[in-house]
Amino acid sequence: MDRIIRQALVATLVVASITGLFSFIIRGYLEWMDVINSAIGTFIIWAIFFPLVNKYWGRGEAEG
């Protein structure tokens, strides 16, 4: 479980950084709500949904 949370945090930081960068490039200023929204969504997907898929379908069966 610690590994899943650690991976979710790393993925959250990467996605939030990319979102912040593009938000700043496109708008000219940093929109914090975009960054927070992407961080929360990424963490939920990575920490909750991915483990559920692996638990019920296994690694090999979920891919195809």
Side-chain angles (χ1 to χ4, degrees):
M1 190 64 163
D2 291 336
R3 184 178 62 90
I4 293 170
I5 298 298
R6 196 170 37 241
Q7 288 175 346
L9 289 174
V10 170
T12 299
L13 289 174
V14 169
V15 170
S17 299
I18 293 170
T19 302
L21 178 68
F22 282 126
S23 174
F24 185 76
I25 289 173
I26 292 170
R27 292 191 177 105
Y29 60 92
L30 182 61
E31 183 65 43
W32 282 104
M33 288 309 294
D34 289 343
V35 176
I36 292 170
N37 187 28
S38 69
I40 291 171
T42 302
F43 186 82
I44 289 171
I45 289 170
W46 202 279
I48 296 171
F49 293 136
F50 283 175
L52 284 176
V53 168
N54 286 335
K55 178 181 178 182
Y56 289 109
W57 284 287
R59 290 191 180 269
E61 296 175 20
E63 295 171 359

